[in-house]
């Protein structure tokens, strides 16, 4: 059994993956900025309470493109990006 994709399907898939990675990087950058505002200087300074505070912050943050706050999906995507970043750091042995 073989998979056949048209070149437009491959291009679409690759573009989707690139956008996904860029969004994830954006979410992680936002978290780093948040850490700076609460004076956390290293990954070892992140506690469960830090993540809870960030989650609370996202729930209260004003949406920059529409009226109101951030959507539940946006917040969930943010948290998922942080989980992926954490997993990457653990698997790669990298430290901040």
């Amino acid at each position: 059994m073989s998979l056949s994709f048209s070149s437009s399907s491959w291009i679409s898939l690759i573009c989707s993956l690139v956008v996904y990675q860029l969004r994830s990087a954006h979410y992680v950058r936002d978290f780093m900025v948040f850490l700076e505002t609460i004076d956390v200087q290293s990954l070892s300074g992140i506690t469960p309470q830090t993540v809870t505070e960030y989650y609370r912050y996202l729930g209260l943050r004003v949406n920059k493109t529409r009226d109101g706050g951030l959507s539940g999906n946006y917040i969930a995507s943010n948290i998922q990006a942080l989980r992926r970043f954490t997993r990457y750091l653990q698997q790669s042995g990298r430290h901040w």
Side-chain angles (χ1 to χ4, degrees), residues 7-81:
S7 56
S8 65
S9 293
W10 277 111
I11 291 170
S12 178
L13 175 64
I14 291 168
C15 288
S16 295
L17 291 172
V18 168
V19 168
Y20 177 75
Q21 291 298 325
L22 289 172
R23 282 188 184 143
S24 291
H26 176 79
Y27 296 147
V28 171
R29 186 195 70 217
D30 285 351
F31 182 63
M32 299 297 178
V33 170
F34 172 79
L35 293 176
E36 288 176 359
T37 65
I38 61 169
D39 203 31
V40 173
Q41 302 298 319
S42 69
L43 289 178
S44 62
I46 299 171
T47 65
Q49 180 182 351
T50 307
V51 177
T52 300
E53 287 176 28
Y54 184 62
Y55 186 78
R56 188 175 310 125
Y57 160 76
L58 290 174
L60 298 173
R61 197 182 102 186
V62 174
N63 190 320
K64 296 175 184 175
T65 59
R66 298 184 197 112
D67 290 336
L70 302 177
S71 72
N73 285 338
Y74 185 90
I75 294 170
S77 294
N78 240 285
I79 300 302
Q80 286 292 71

